[in-house]
Amino acid sequence: MGNEELWVQSVLEMPKRRDILAIVLIVLPWTLLITVWHQSTIAPLLAVHKDDGGDSRRDLAAGLDSKEYCLSDRDIVEVVRTDRPVQKAELTRLANTLLHVPNLHWILVEDSQRRTPLITRLLRDTGLNYTHLNVETPRNYKLRGDTRDPRIPRGTMQRNLALRWLRETFNKNSSQPGIVYFADDDNTYSLELFEEMRSTRKVSVWPVAFVGGLRYESPKVNAAGKVYGWKTVFDPHRPFAIDMAGFAVNLRLILARSQAYFKLRGVKGGYQESSLLRELVTLSDLEPKAANCTKILVWHTRTEKPVLVNEGKKGFTDPNVEI
Amino acid sequence: MEEIVLDIVSSFPSCIRQQSLVATPKVIQNYVYSRPPPWSDTLPTIFVITPTYTRPVQKAELTRLANTFLHVQNLHWVVVEDSPRRTNLVSNLLEKAGLNFTHLNVETPKSLKLGLSWIPSHTPRGTLQRNLGLHWLRNSFSNSAPPEGVVYFADDDNTYSLELFEEMRYTRRVSVWPVAFVGGLRYESPKVSPEGKVVGWKTVFDPNRPFAIDMAGFAISIKLILEKPQASFKLEGVKGGYQETSLLKDLVTMDGLEPKAANCTKVLVWHTRTERPTLVNEGKRGFTDPRVEV
């Protein structure tokens, strides 16, 4: 049931679908997962199994403002494979959660130049419906050494690529119901959360644990069931003082506002969510979930970096053994 | 063994095909799908003993752990809280999860908590709790008619692949496999000879321990646990890294070990650790509503 395709596959054969909800999850940080729910059994999208001969950047440029995805002249790009040791573990346990969610389509966008075999295999072996994309965040070698461009928040290009893929894949007038959810791969999701977001008409919101230096941050909901503010300590006056994991967007809205993306540059810390949401919805349009935002259904957990000091300089374990 | 009927959310009739309906006393009105897979009378049972303790990320850890276990057939989760009383948080979670479970508790005395550690920041916890789990098993099943099955010690912050449980299910005595992110390495692993026998340990830290293996790297057949009722984890005077040995030495010798995971060449379990969340903005008096369970 897995689907691997270059996002640029514009000639996709659209399977006939009954009227259903699709939920799209986009997961970060190094990989983005988008899950789309289809209630009917999905005929596989035309999958083109191509070798990743570094096509990603070229394909991305097609039909895109090339400045957005290509490196600007000032930057020197250092191509380094990012191998986060815990990546397979994170995706494994996330998959174990997602496997319980009906009609889920996982869109995973790697922050890398090529789709990696580890992820390719993992996605295929889960049995989930998925789409595997990739785009590499340019690194800024000059300014910060071997770090990525600090002006582009982590995951932004990947999320935007997924949005773009959605807009390319689903016709604007499509009646295909769907929900888009952005999820980090180290967060923890209850199964109840996915049920809550299913009924999203425009944008739904709920509390998220372990963000903003608090046990949880939450939208403020009045007696009439409308969101009127944000229970946060950090900058509660942001237009949308909410974590990436705290909202979901109806696919129709994503398709209708086809220019709405996460802002790439010049975004203050904590404002990334606002940079997208303000193009989609107003505060009063928000739909509070999770018992009017009184229950915690998602936790912003973070996984420690494992200590690998005993590998030494030359490595102790067999590098062919995948972890 | 309780079996659970899951009610169907009526707006998604096509999900019926994922459902398995079984007659039972208990009806969960929440979500849609069939979890866990129906109990089988012929499949060996996997008893997973998880010590757990109260801290902010506890509910998150147990939630995602449950989400994994819900895929495993014939799994019985023995959750042992390090607590003077069974907490509502864990009780409610276990009730709602839909798993077969047993909920126990025993509090580690403060003196033991301090004394067991040679690295102050890594107090080996869970010993009393694991032993209580073993005790419960021995009380629940008689030695004369032991059930087919295995015992596995699963900490609540590790990551388990579904494949791992199938590897351990048919353990005859004690089976072993590699574990990622332990001993300062990408993974530690038993050394397996071409004949398929364990002959040593691929570790940097003290590879000469009798069993240089992490808690997540082995499973023991129920039969053996019941045969050797005195075998438990040693509580005091255990050097760092020797806790597993303190149990295994009374159960098996190295050449009796059964290597799994393709003769210990595949990693099916990761010793992940979860960061402690920053709660600095709660301040002295607390900002969030303490009645909202996190």
Side-chain angles (χ1 to χ4, degrees):
Chain A
M1 258 206 292
N3 299 307
E4 286 172 72
E5 53 194 323
L6 300 172
W7 75 275
V8 81
Q9 277 288 337
S10 48
V11 193
L12 289 168
E13 183 145 325
M14 295 304 295
K16 288 202 169 67
R17 294 194 182 90
R18 280 173 257 135
D19 193 30
I20 55 165
L21 273 183
I23 294 196
V24 173
L25 288 182
I26 306 180
V27 170
L28 286 179
W30 302 116
T31 58
L32 290 178
L33 307 169
I34 305 180
T35 308
V36 176
W37 290 18
H38 309 282
Q39 187 171 18
S40 62
T41 43
I42 304 167
L45 299 170
L46 271 185
V48 175
H49 295 270
K50 252 191 187 184
D51 218 334
D52 302 293
D55 291 334
S56 56
R57 232 199 324 258
R58 174 168 56 79
D59 295 324
L60 286 170
L64 281 184
D65 172 10
S66 57
K67 287 204 192 73
E68 195 182 6
Y69 289 103
C70 293
L71 316 156
S72 73
D73 294 338
R74 295 167 290 154
D75 298 334
I76 300 169
V77 175
E78 189 186 18
V79 177
V80 171
R81 278 286 302 275
T82 51
D83 279 306
R84 205 166 118 245
V86 295
Q87 185 177 53
K88 189 177 182 187
E90 300 284 43
L91 293 177
T92 295
R93 59 182 167 184
L94 182 53
N96 289 344
T97 290
L98 298 181
L99 277 164
H100 292 296
V101 183
N103 298 0
L104 181 134
H105 188 100
W106 212 16
I107 302 179
L108 193 155
V109 189
E110 288 190 67
D111 185 347
S112 74
Q113 202 186 32
R114 279 175 188 65
R115 299 202 297 262
T116 61
L118 184 151
I119 306 288
T120 303
R121 271 194 303 268
L122 186 145
L123 284 173
R124 193 192 53 218
D125 292 345
T126 60
L128 287 161
N129 266 8
Y130 69 90
T131 294
H132 189 183
L133 310 172
N134 67 289
V135 61
E136 191 176 33
T137 307
R139 286 175 184 278
N140 195 321
Y141 183 82
K142 268 191 206 163
L143 288 186
R144 298 272 167 97
D146 192 2
T147 59
R148 294 176 181 270
D149 188 334
R151 295 164 291 168
I152 301 181
R154 207 165 55 166
T156 312
M157 291 181 64
Q158 289 70 32
R159 290 187 193 100
N160 283 344
L161 177 61
L163 291 174
R164 188 172 291 277
W165 179 87
L166 284 168
R167 287 156 177 157
E168 294 281 330
T169 305
F170 296 99
N171 189 288
K172 199 185 264 199
N173 304 315
S174 161
S175 61
Q176 171 71 58
I179 312 291
V180 181
Y181 181 52
F182 301 92
D184 286 1
D185 64 6
D186 50 356
N187 288 345
T188 303
Y189 308 93
S190 69
L191 299 181
E192 205 178 330
L193 175 72
F194 299 104
E195 296 309 315
E196 287 288 304
M197 67 174 77
R198 246 187 226 273
S199 54
T200 304
R201 290 189 320 274
K202 290 192 175 176
V203 176
S204 55
V205 292
W206 49 78
V208 178
F210 310 142
V211 287
L214 294 169
R215 288 168 72 245
Y216 62 88
E217 281 182 345
S218 171
K220 275 193 202 160
V221 182
N222 63 22
K226 284 224 166 283
V227 176
Y228 68 96
W230 309 99
K231 270 191 274 196
T232 77
V233 168
F234 170 65
D235 210 345
H237 303 296
R238 287 171 276 166
F240 297 89
I242 194 165
D243 182 78
M244 198 65 71
F247 67 93
V249 185
N250 192 305
L251 180 61
R252 261 194 319 270
L253 192 54
I254 296 288
L255 300 177
R257 307 276 167 89
S258 55
Q259 300 312 308
Y261 283 97
F262 290 100
K263 199 151 169 260
L264 266 184
R265 289 190 161 87
V267 180
K268 246 168 59 171
Y271 281 76
Q272 222 204 1
E273 295 80 0
S274 295
S275 77
L276 173 73
L277 289 172
R278 63 177 160 72
E279 315 246 357
L280 296 173
V281 79
T282 60
L283 199 71
S284 59
D285 276 341
L286 295 174
E287 303 148 52
K289 302 289 177 189
N292 266 351
C293 296
T294 58
K295 285 166 70 167
I296 307 294
L297 302 177
V298 57
W299 300 260
H300 197 287
T301 42
R302 292 172 56 91
T303 304
E304 283 185 14
K305 208 160 100 156
V307 171
L308 303 179
V309 65
N310 282 339
E311 290 289 343
K313 279 210 176 122
K314 285 191 273 188
F316 177 84
T317 53
D318 181 350
N320 292 322
V321 172
E322 189 181 85
I323 50 165
Chain B
M1 306 286 193
E2 224 176 20
E3 282 167 317
I4 297 179
V5 120
L6 298 171
D7 199 20
I8 304 173
V9 172
S10 59
S11 56
F12 297 91
S14 76
C15 295
I16 292 175
R17 64 182 159 79
Q18 297 178 322
Q19 196 85 1
S20 112
L21 296 172
V22 179
T24 93
K26 203 168 185 175
V27 177
I28 294 179
Q29 299 286 342
N30 294 337
Y31 353 111
V32 186
Y33 9 94
S34 164
R35 308 186 310 269
W39 200 270
S40 153
D41 285 331
T42 50
L43 216 58
T45 301
I46 301 177
F47 291 91
V48 178
I49 298 180
T50 296
T52 186
Y53 63 102
T54 302
R55 78 274 196 202
V57 296
Q58 181 186 40
K59 190 177 182 187
E61 302 284 44
L62 294 176
T63 295
R64 58 183 169 185
L65 205 51
N67 290 345
T68 289
F69 293 160
L70 281 163
H71 292 291
V72 183
Q73 201 168 5
N74 284 31
L75 183 145
H76 189 104
W77 200 13
V78 182
V79 178
V80 193
E81 292 194 69
D82 186 343
S83 169
R85 263 168 288 286
R86 298 205 294 266
T87 62
N88 285 336
L89 185 149
V90 177
S91 299
N92 293 337
L93 186 144
L94 288 174
E95 292 284 326
K96 283 174 68 176
L99 288 161
N100 272 25
F101 70 90
T102 294
H103 187 184
L104 308 171
N105 69 290
V106 60
E107 190 179 29
T108 307
K110 290 234 180 350
S111 55
L112 267 184
K113 277 189 196 167
L114 295 175
L116 275 175
S117 168
W118 64 279
I119 301 174
S121 59
H122 288 276
T123 310
R125 343 171 63 116
T127 310
L128 266 179
Q129 290 71 33
R130 292 186 190 99
N131 281 345
L132 183 61
L134 289 174
H135 180 80
W136 174 84
L137 271 171
R138 286 162 174 149
N139 276 5
S140 303
F141 301 105
S142 79
N143 197 4
S144 56
E148 287 286 322
V150 293
V151 179
Y152 181 54
F153 300 99
D155 287 354
D156 65 6
D157 55 354
N158 289 343
T159 303
Y160 308 93
S161 69
L162 300 182
E163 204 179 330
L164 175 72
F165 298 102
E166 300 316 314
E167 287 287 304
M168 71 173 73
R169 199 184 284 279
Y170 293 95
T171 302
R172 290 188 320 271
R173 311 285 283 171
V174 177
S175 55
V176 292
W177 49 78
V179 178
F181 309 141
V182 288
L185 295 170
R186 288 169 71 247
Y187 62 89
E188 282 183 343
S189 171
K191 267 192 208 158
V192 181
S193 71
E195 297 76 42
K197 287 222 163 285
V198 176
V199 294
W201 310 100
K202 274 193 270 188
T203 76
V204 168
F205 169 64
D206 210 344
N208 299 316
R209 287 171 277 165
F211 297 90
I213 194 164
D214 182 79
M215 196 66 70
F218 65 91
I220 308 165
S221 76
I222 301 287
K223 195 151 164 289
L224 187 55
I225 291 290
L226 298 176
E227 255 173 44
K228 307 268 173 83
Q230 302 312 312
S232 294
F233 289 102
K234 200 153 168 258
L235 269 179
E236 297 187 59
V238 179
K239 246 170 60 167
Y242 282 76
Q243 215 196 16
E244 295 80 2
T245 298
S246 76
L247 171 72
L248 291 173
K249 66 170 165 58
D250 291 334
L251 293 172
V252 75
T253 56
M254 189 191 287
D255 62 343
L257 296 170
E258 301 148 51
K260 300 290 182 185
N263 267 351
C264 296
T265 58
K266 286 166 70 169
V267 173
L268 303 176
V269 57
W270 300 260
H271 196 285
T272 42
R273 290 171 57 91
T274 304
E275 282 184 18
R276 201 154 79 166
T278 321
L279 303 178
V280 65
N281 282 339
E282 290 289 343
K284 278 209 177 129
R285 286 186 282 182
F287 178 83
T288 54
D289 183 346
R291 295 165 305 176
V292 173
E293 189 181 80
V294 157

